[in-house]
């Protein structure tokens, strides 16, 4: 009943089905459904917008007018024409809920400058600098030539580029030591399960209490060549090596000081507990 409700859940498979549902059910007709996923969950929870999970409890939020896209204000107004976060995806709905509690004077880090995008690199950096007027912005990029050329043309001293691979643990440790505590981390990098999980483990200690860690472009069962992240082998999201399985293990104590995991279509946010 209503637009939002919560209930206890004892069976991890139930919660994982809900998470896969919110990540995949809005797919347009014509995309493949993997046989391991029970599509009845999509019909059982129509208009599902958000799944938030804590140990033994799930909160569901339905689409409603107050949570619709806001083209004249908020994240969509700032980001339109600059990034696929809103021009292809609809991450503005999630960001309009997740970002305001962080304030405006934040220190943030995004993995991925966008060097492979058709519209060119740096679109997200422009969005962040507009949205967070007083932000200190860091970005990790593995393409050294692209990062160097973009940095040379950059006019803002608020944005710092760190060149390296998110799969390199020593590099991530060096970035942690340079940037200190962060309010927001956004992984829009490789979109592969293993580097995404390793990056989360490596950077989580750099997230301040109450900070948000966002993973974009989580794609489950979109084609025969994709698992739960772009480019991964086809496999169940419940298998031991998948990102969805990893997220559930973090909820059960796999990450220290995790408050909850909250997901919308193709995007998840891990909120760090305020109390340490």
């Amino acid at each position: 009943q209503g637009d939002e409700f919560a209930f206890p859940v004892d069976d991890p498979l139930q919660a994982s089905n809900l998470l896969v549902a919110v990540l995949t059910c809005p797919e347009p007709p014509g995309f493949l459904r993997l046989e391991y996923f029970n599509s009845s969950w999509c019909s059982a929870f129509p208009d599902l917008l958000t799944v938030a999970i804590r140990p033994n409890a799930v909160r569901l939020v339905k689409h409603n007018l107050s949570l619709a896209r806001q083209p004249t204000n908020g994240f969509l107004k700032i980001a339109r024409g600059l990034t696929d976060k809103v021009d292809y995806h609809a991450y503005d709905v999630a960001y309009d809920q997740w970002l305001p509690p962080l304030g405006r004077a934040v220190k943030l880090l995004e993995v991925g400058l966008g060097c492979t995008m058709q519209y060119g690199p740096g679109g997200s950096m422009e969005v962040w600098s507009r949205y967070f007027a007083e932000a200190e912005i860091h970005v990790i990029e593995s393409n050294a030539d692209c990062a160097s050329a973009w940095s040379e043309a950059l006019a803002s001293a608020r944005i710092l580029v760190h060149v390296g691979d998110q799969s390199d643990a020593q590099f991530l440790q060096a970035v942690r030591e340079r940037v200190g505590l962060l309010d927001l981390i956004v992984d829009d990098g490789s979109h592969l399960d293993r580097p995404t999980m390793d990056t989360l483990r490596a950077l989580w200690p750099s997230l301040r209490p109450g900070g948000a860690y966002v993973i974009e472009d989580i794609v489950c069962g979109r084609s025969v060549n994709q698992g739960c992240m772009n480019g991964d082998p086809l496999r169940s999201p419940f298998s031991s090596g998948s990102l969805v399985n990893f997220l559930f293990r973090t909820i059960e104590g796999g990450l220290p000081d995790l408050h909850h995991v909250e997901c919308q279509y193709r995007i998840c946010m891990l909120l760090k507990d305020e109390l340490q």
Side-chain angles (χ1 to χ4, degrees):
Q1 299 295 321
D3 295 324
E4 182 172 340
F5 61 97
F7 61 93
V9 58
D10 298 321
D11 182 358
L13 185 58
Q14 290 181 333
S16 58
N17 266 300
L18 282 167
L19 184 54
V20 174
V22 78
L23 288 169
T24 65
C25 283
E27 284 283 18
F31 283 93
L32 296 176
R33 290 278 176 217
L34 300 187
E35 61 183 17
Y36 56 70
F37 175 58
N38 184 353
S39 61
S40 66
W41 283 81
C42 295
S43 57
F45 296 93
D47 302 318
L48 182 62
L49 174 67
T50 301
V51 172
I53 303 176
R54 296 188 67 181
N56 302 316
V58 172
R59 178 173 62 88
L60 307 181
V61 180
K62 293 179 68 175
H63 283 278
N64 61 62
L65 290 177
S66 67
L67 297 174
R69 305 187 78 181
Q70 305 294 326
T72 60
N73 56 52
F75 193 86
L76 178 56
K77 180 181 179 180
I78 293 172
R80 177 169 281 171
L82 293 173
T83 170
D84 70 341
K85 295 182 193 306
V86 302
D87 292 336
Y88 179 76
H89 304 286
Y91 296 158
D92 48 288
V93 177
Y95 280 133
D96 279 339
Q97 298 171 58
W98 298 342
L99 297 182
L102 300 177
R104 293 293 182 181
V106 305
K107 183 191 292 188
L108 71 91
L109 180 147
E110 179 160 16
V111 180
L113 183 61
C115 290
T116 62
M117 303 303 293
Q118 291 184 346
Y119 52 74
S124 293
M125 300 308 107
E126 186 169 350
V127 172
W128 297 130
S129 64
R130 292 183 184 184
Y131 188 91
F132 296 112
E134 303 172 47
E136 176 185 325
I137 302 169
H138 298 263
V139 58
I140 289 174
E141 175 53 52
S142 60
N143 186 326
D145 291 339
C146 170
S148 176
W150 185 81
S151 297
E152 290 177 3
L154 183 65
S156 174
R158 292 196 294 135
I159 304 176
L160 300 175
V161 182
H162 307 269
V163 178
D165 193 326
Q166 73 177 110
S167 300
D168 185 338
Q170 291 185 332
F171 165 70
L172 292 180
Q173 177 61 33
V175 171
R176 282 183 54 194
E177 293 172 357
R178 286 197 295 269
V179 305
L181 285 178
L182 294 155
D183 302 286
L184 173 65
I185 300 173
V186 178
D187 189 341
D188 189 18
S190 71
H191 306 319
L192 300 174
D193 277 22
R194 180 54 56 190
T196 300
M197 292 186 281
D198 290 344
T199 302
L200 173 56
R201 290 191 192 96
L203 296 182
W204 183 256
S206 292
L207 194 66
R208 68 158 174 82
Y213 192 110
V214 177
I215 303 173
E216 295 185 353
D217 300 346
I218 302 173
V219 181
C220 299
R222 196 168 165 222
S223 77
V224 294
N225 295 317
Q226 293 172 328
C228 238
M229 296 290 280
N230 294 346
D232 274 12
L234 186 67
R235 64 184 179 200
S236 166
F238 314 126
S239 65
S240 61
S242 76
L243 178 64
V244 169
N245 181 279
F246 177 73
L247 290 174
F248 276 96
R249 284 187 282 115
T250 68
I251 296 165
E252 296 172 348
L255 280 180
D257 307 314
L258 176 67
H259 185 271
H260 74 271
V261 174
E262 184 167 335
C263 298
Q264 292 188 13
Y265 182 46
R266 295 186 179 177
I267 186 170
C268 287
M269 183 269 292
L270 294 86
L271 185 68
K272 202 164 195 178
D273 208 324
E274 288 275 8
L275 301 176
Q276 299 268 319

